[in-house]
Amino acid sequence: MNSNLSNSRQAALACLTRWHEGRAFAETLVDRECSRLSLSPADRHLVQALVFGVLRNQSWLDHVIGTLRQGRLDMNVRLILQLGLCQLFLLGMADHAAVYETVNLAPSRLRGLVNAILRNALRKEKAILAEREKLPLHILYSTPRWLVGKWTAQFGPEAARKLLQWNNTTPRIYVRANSLIPLNETPEGLIPLGGVPGWFSVEGLLPLKEINSGALYVADPSTRYAIDLLAPQPDEEILDACAAPGGKSAAIIAATGGKARLTATDLHEHRLPVLRENLARYGSPSVATAQADWALPCPPQWEKRFDAVLLDVPCSNTGVIQRRVDVRWRLNPEEIRRLAALQRTILENASRAVRPGGRLVYSTCSIDAEEDGLLVREFLKDHPEWTLKEEKLVLPQEEKSDGAYAALLICA
């Protein structure tokens, strides 16, 4: 058998083992392990497909294992079986290769057990797949029961099902053209998005040359709504309060033809060099950058200074579960409540940076009301000097993009 495939499966098992130890996010683990092993792009793709496939379908895979083997299994064997079933039922790999390579992941004393369970799964394949659609949603789509219930109550049963289904599909990659650094020609493999000028879907390899030059940058189309609502104008004083790594700052500069007077801040000082580097590459070298913790009161020198503020707050990421596969397993109701409290504090403090007559766009990549519309309305209730002008909730299964929320607030 191909040793590269064996290495890829070993790498996937290592990533899943470390993920269960709680050491890092899945995408970080995949990147580190593939870099450590100097895997080729094709092998990296396989590792990611295996790791993400298991995490997207963890509850269903465990359910299948439970129907095939009664009793307790140690974590290592369970992860090996998850990888094997993922290859057989989700990735469509050849049966003999998937079984052989998966069995070889197990310690010698357990290879017979792993082989027997996987062969039994193949014999029962039709029954296993026929049962799948009849399972409860939290098992079928491997999403915590509380989150399924939350979305069902918020969006209705049919929309919740479509959202869960969407979250378990592979995300597309999109790029946005930078008007400050025009493309000489459109790279091969970029498909224009209908009705969204300057945006492209990437088919195949990333156009690294154009990305490195700043002519294109990777972003999801859902990010455009916050910029559209902000409607930045030339010569305005604008604050991007939670700016790193700089995509929205670059979009603000591009929207004004490079003529906005932009200040970009971030909580983490170590992210500022990357922010400056990215903005320089995007043709925006004159942006002022600074460290700022907006959980603290607005610095006196910034009070009532800005015509417009973009406030893209830290959030639960429930709108980007398709792209960030392990978010569902890291979240809990208490964390959403904690984040909502932090978001409200940040909104209170950053709103003080807006001059009378100015505007603020509050945005998240969450689709949960506590972090979005409900939070904004609670803020407005306590601040009659502010008015909600417009808001946009992007549901990923409807727009076939990341989920997002943006609200335009006007200061009297």
Side-chain angles (χ1 to χ4, degrees):
M1 291 292 173
N2 189 318
S3 63
N4 288 337
L5 293 179
S6 299
N7 286 341
S8 297
R9 290 177 173 90
Q10 287 281 4
L13 178 60
C15 291
L16 288 169
T17 300
R18 293 190 182 100
W19 185 85
H20 277 278
E21 293 168 351
R23 292 185 182 176
F25 291 103
E27 57 265 37
T28 302
L29 290 168
V30 168
D31 184 61
R32 286 177 183 168
E33 188 67 11
C34 290
S35 296
R36 186 182 73 81
L37 296 173
S38 301
L39 295 183
S40 69
D43 291 330
R44 281 174 174 259
H45 179 77
L46 176 57
V47 174
Q48 180 169 299
L50 288 168
V51 173
F52 287 13
V54 166
L55 292 177
R56 283 194 182 104
N57 297 277
Q58 186 171 259
S59 297
W60 179 68
L61 293 170
D62 278 342
H63 170 80
V64 173
I65 292 168
T67 66
L68 298 169
R69 163 78 179 189
Q70 302 297 316
R72 187 177 179 277
L73 291 169
D74 69 39
M75 180 60 72
N76 185 54
V77 173
R78 183 171 295 277
L79 293 180
I80 290 170
L81 289 171
Q82 287 177 355
L83 282 168
L85 293 171
C86 178
Q87 293 168 73
L88 293 173
F89 294 153
L90 299 172
L91 300 183
M93 294 184 175
D95 295 351
H96 66 283
V99 172
Y100 178 86
E101 294 288 356
T102 302
V103 167
N104 284 339
L105 292 175
S108 299
R109 62 185 177 83
L110 295 172
R111 287 179 182 174
L113 173 64
V114 172
N115 183 64
I117 293 174
L118 293 180
R119 301 251 175 229
N120 192 20
L122 284 173
R123 285 191 293 271
K124 296 180 176 180
E125 180 175 2
K126 286 185 179 179
I128 288 170
L129 296 179
E131 179 214 30
R132 188 174 184 188
E133 292 300 318
K134 302 172 186 175
L135 292 170
L137 293 182
H138 70 281
I139 297 176
L140 173 60
Y141 295 116
S142 294
T143 302
R145 192 193 299 261
W146 70 269
L147 196 50
V148 174
K150 189 176 195 299
W151 287 341
T152 300
Q154 186 172 337
F155 304 121
E158 187 57 30
R161 176 183 275 271
K162 289 180 179 177
L163 172 59
L164 293 164
Q165 187 177 34
W166 171 261
N167 285 344
N168 275 19
T169 59
T170 302
R172 302 186 74 84
I173 297 176
Y174 300 94
V175 292
R176 181 174 185 166
N178 179 5
S179 58
L180 299 182
I181 305 176
L183 287 168
N184 294 323
E185 58 182 4
T186 302
E188 185 178 346
L190 294 194
I191 310 301
L193 290 186
V196 192
W199 286 88
F200 302 88
S201 172
V202 179
E203 304 288 339
L205 298 176
L206 276 172
L208 292 178
K209 177 183 174 184
E210 290 77 11
I211 290 171
N212 291 335
S213 73
L216 294 172
Y217 58 89
V218 178
D220 188 85
S222 64
T223 60
R224 74 187 190 276
Y225 291 109
I227 307 301
D228 290 348
L229 287 181
L230 190 70
Q233 301 299 311
D235 297 321
E236 283 189 318
E237 281 269 12
I238 300 175
L239 170 68
D240 185 357
C242 306
K248 288 188 174 73
S249 289
I252 290 170
I253 293 292
T256 62
K259 296 180 180 177
R261 289 173 288 159
L262 179 65
T263 299
T265 69
D266 197 79
L267 170 62
H268 303 288
E269 191 157 8
H270 69 269
R271 299 179 74 182
L272 294 182
V274 173
L275 173 61
R276 286 190 287 266
E277 180 183 320
N278 287 341
L279 289 172
R281 185 168 70 253
Y282 299 143
S284 312
S286 60
V287 173
T289 60
Q291 187 276 335
D293 183 354
W294 290 99
L296 302 176
C298 178
Q301 69 271 23
W302 288 342
E303 286 186 9
K304 298 182 179 181
R305 169 178 162 179
F306 295 97
D307 299 290
V309 170
L310 176 61
L311 190 60
D312 190 30
V313 294
C315 71
S316 64
N317 293 301
T318 51
V320 294
I321 286 178
Q322 185 204 45
R323 202 172 296 281
R324 300 190 62 185
V325 296
D326 50 359
V327 163
R328 70 188 81 183
W329 303 120
R330 293 178 177 274
L331 270 183
N332 56 54
E334 292 74 24
E335 177 67 1
I336 289 181
R337 286 193 288 270
R338 184 193 71 80
L339 285 164
L342 174 63
Q343 292 155 359
R344 175 61 190 270
T345 299
I346 291 173
L347 177 55
E348 290 276 354
N349 293 330
S351 69
R352 292 176 169 82
V354 182
R355 65 164 181 78
R359 61 201 186 279
L360 180 148
V361 168
Y362 171 89
S363 73
T364 75
C365 56
S366 167
I367 54 173
D368 286 276
E370 301 99 307
E371 301 177 80
D372 297 340
L374 290 178
L375 186 146
V376 166
R377 282 157 180 80
E378 286 296 318
F379 172 79
L380 294 172
K381 192 186 302 182
D382 294 338
H383 294 277
E385 72 275 18
W386 284 90
T387 305
L388 174 61
K389 180 77 172 178
E390 189 177 349
E391 65 183 335
K392 174 73 175 178
L393 174 63
V394 179
L395 293 179
Q397 77 278 12
E398 292 180 358
E399 300 215 11
K400 310 304 180 192
S401 70
D402 289 348
Y405 173 83
L408 172 61
L409 307 176
I410 306 296
C411 181

